[in-house]
Amino acid sequence: MQQSQPVGAEAFAYVARALQSEGSEQETLQRIVDLAPRLIANCEHAGITMVVNSKVTTPAATGPVPLAVDRIQYEANQGPCLDALRKHAVFVTDDLATETRWPDFASRAAAETGVRSMLSFRLFVEQNTLGSLNLYSGLPAAFGAEQTATGGAFAAHAAVALDSATHRRRAKVLAGELVTSEHRGDELEEQAAAALILQRSMLSVLPHVPGLDIVSRYRPSATKAQVGGDWYDAFPTPDGEMALVIGDVAGHDMGAAVQMAQLRNMLRSLALDRREPPSDVLARLDETITQFGIGEITTCVYGLLTHSSGRLDPKGGGSWTLRFANAGHPPPLLTTPKGSRYLETEEHVLLGLANDYARSDESLTMPAGAILLLYTDGLVERVGESLENGLARLQTTAESLASKSLDDFCDGLVATLEDDAMDDVCLLAVRV
């Protein structure tokens, strides 16, 4: 029988105290799922879905029922828990027995586990996705507006608690390393310096293409240990197109820099292997990442610029067309003399989640004088500021610099960065 539930402000005060109490990540995960049925009406079971080393797993659950439901989801590679992660949204399922959004999962889960209703929330802090919180009930239509609102607030508390536990673990690990080795600080500096050398060696020499100005900038973070996995690339393809790449591997250490080098070379090889849309190239890169067990989550934009003549050394006039696909990366910015806009895509799932979601391509004709800007998130993210504000600032700055040379345009964008920026920044700008 479900335990009695605290209500209102008293309930959330209790939840906040319980979740923020000291404990390991695993203890915090288990505390979250144990509290959910006490707080949220009709919730009989709870579990958390996370991606660990490119594998989707359930590290904490209230019992065997959530584990059974999740196992079916992972086998079918579909379901509300996975979509909460992939699509950054809340998913309410009224009756698995009649659900049509996930046909390979829903009816089987209802028949084998007795679960009828599900409610799934993305667990995130700022833009960092930690996992998804999933609620289960044997009742149909168990979760309505009230449960969705309460569950959303609870998920927000849970994400903060989990993030705090992660930081505590990292702090303890760092403290232990400092205690056990006097030389660890020197080793980290040497490692960061090596990572910086590796990272810079992977940043391409930009090609010269008639009719295009191509400029790049790379600025390492203010903290040496923060060297990581940002990269850009630009290269001609055998089919007479110009490939443009911007990417960011999660992490800020030698491992991220090494993985960045691997992915940069993989993407080049796949792009030159055959002629296909950017979305297919990213899909094959995702398959390769999974096959070789490259563990970190990666974002990337890959695009192709094609001249109407079909050549990269066009004579006279003609126009340039951009086709691109986005894998979870900040959207490209297109700036023209008339203004600027972000280039969004319908499907932009991260690389490294081991999923088979179709990716979408977008195409547009580049007006004369237009500037295409690809960038990593260090350009727009600030501590204590929303991503929306950062994107708006970039858009305003780009418009104010649009009449300048492309070198001055990029220098002006880099000049907006704070002196103590904690993340690397890569820019790749192309003007027709």
Side-chain angles (χ1 to χ4, degrees), residues 278-309:
S279 59
D280 289 350
V281 174
L282 290 184
R284 289 202 293 141
L285 178 62
D286 206 358
E287 292 174 2
T288 305
I289 290 173
T290 303
Q291 179 68 31
F292 286 96
I294 297 176
E296 296 297 339
I297 301 299
T298 301
T299 68
C300 180
V301 172
Y302 172 62
L304 292 170
L305 270 177
T306 307
H307 193 262
S308 54
S309 67

Side-chain angles (χ1 to χ4, degrees), residues 301-385:
V301 172
Y302 172 62
L304 292 170
L305 270 177
T306 307
H307 193 262
S308 54
S309 67
R311 299 165 55 89
L312 276 181
D313 55 349
K315 309 297 182 184
S319 61
W320 291 90
T321 299
L322 171 69
R323 290 184 301 157
F324 75 97
N326 191 337
H329 200 80
L333 179 65
L334 182 68
T335 301
T336 71
K338 296 182 180 180
S340 63
R341 64 185 177 94
Y342 286 103
L343 305 180
E344 303 286 355
T345 56
E346 292 183 3
E347 295 290 347
H348 47 87
V349 183
L350 299 167
L351 300 174
L353 290 180
N355 62 71
D356 57 358
Y357 265 63
R359 302 180 186 277
S360 61
D361 291 284
E362 299 296 331
S363 299
L364 68 150
T365 299
M366 295 277 288
I371 301 173
L372 175 69
L373 177 66
L374 307 180
Y375 56 95
T376 54
D377 55 11
L379 185 62
V380 293
E381 291 186 347
R382 301 286 188 278
V383 175
E385 180 185 61

Side-chain angles (χ1 to χ4, degrees), residues 128-150:
N128 185 25
T129 299
L130 308 177
S132 63
L133 171 65
N134 312 298
L135 313 180
Y136 311 81
S137 176
L139 301 171
F143 303 120
E146 178 183 346
Q147 288 87 348
T148 302
T150 304

Side-chain angles (χ1 to χ4, degrees), residues 2-73:
Q2 191 172 6
Q3 301 181 50
S4 61
Q5 300 164 356
V7 294
E10 178 185 352
F12 277 104
Y14 169 77
V15 166
R17 290 193 301 271
L19 290 180
Q20 289 299 329
S21 59
E22 294 291 327
S24 67
E25 287 171 286
Q26 185 58 46
E27 289 169 339
T28 302
L29 288 167
Q30 193 61 49
R31 194 177 295 126
I32 291 169
V33 297
D34 289 342
L35 284 169
R38 300 182 58 184
L39 182 68
I40 301 162
N42 297 332
C43 175
E44 299 172 354
H45 315 281
I48 289 178
T49 294
M50 298 181 74
V51 179
V52 180
N53 296 327
S54 295
K55 183 178 180 181
V56 186
T57 184
T58 304
T62 53
V65 171
L67 295 174
V69 174
D70 290 357
R71 175 180 53 79
I72 298 171
Q73 283 194 96

Side-chain angles (χ1 to χ4, degrees), residues 261-282:
Q262 291 177 309
L263 292 178
R264 180 254 196 189
N265 292 333
M266 286 180 186
L267 182 53
R268 277 197 162 203
S269 298
L270 295 171
L272 298 177
D273 175 56
R274 68 188 73 165
R275 185 171 193 172
E276 60 186 354
S279 59
D280 289 350
V281 174
L282 290 184

Side-chain angles (χ1 to χ4, degrees), residues 50-254:
M50 298 181 74
V51 179
V52 180
N53 296 327
S54 295
K55 183 178 180 181
V56 186
T57 184
T58 304
T62 53
V65 171
L67 295 174
V69 174
D70 290 357
R71 175 180 53 79
I72 298 171
Q73 283 194 96
Y74 306 156
E75 291 174 356
N77 194 25
Q78 61 177 225
C81 307
L82 298 177
D83 273 0
L85 276 176
R86 294 166 173 167
K87 298 185 177 181
H88 295 183
V90 177
F91 286 87
V92 182
T93 307
D94 287 334
D95 194 343
L96 287 176
T98 58
E99 177 61 62
T100 59
R101 286 174 290 180
W102 310 287
D104 295 336
F105 155 73
S107 59
R108 181 182 166 194
E112 295 181 19
T113 69
V115 169
R116 300 289 293 278
S117 300
M118 292 183 61
L119 180 57
S120 295
F121 302 90
R122 173 193 175 211
L123 292 174
F124 67 99
V125 175
E126 295 180 347
Q127 298 302 310
N128 185 25
T129 299
L130 308 177
S132 63
L133 171 65
N134 312 298
L135 313 180
Y136 311 81
S137 176
L139 301 171
F143 303 120
E146 178 183 346
Q147 288 87 348
T148 302
T150 304
F154 176 76
H157 280 284
V160 171
L162 181 56
D163 188 58
S164 297
T166 301
H167 284 298
R168 286 197 300 270
R169 175 184 60 80
R170 290 173 179 169
K172 289 179 181 178
V173 170
L174 180 59
E177 289 176 348
L178 292 174
V179 169
T180 57
S181 174
E182 294 179 349
H183 304 293
R184 183 57 174 162
D186 292 337
E187 292 173 359
L188 287 174
E189 287 190 10
E190 292 173 2
Q191 184 185 76
L196 181 58
I197 293 171
L198 173 63
Q199 188 170 35
R200 284 178 166 161
S201 72
M202 288 292 104
L203 299 178
S204 302
V205 176
L206 299 178
H208 173 71
V209 180
L212 296 178
D213 287 336
I214 308 176
V215 172
S216 64
R217 293 290 184 270
Y218 168 66
R219 172 174 155 165
S221 66
T223 303
K224 291 182 179 180
Q226 289 288 312
V227 172
D230 293 27
W231 91 96
Y232 64 80
D233 204 358
F235 54 91
T237 73
D239 300 303
E241 298 174 303
M242 176 56 58
L244 306 172
V245 183
I246 197 82
D248 188 358
V249 177
H252 298 91
D253 53 20
M254 187 63 158

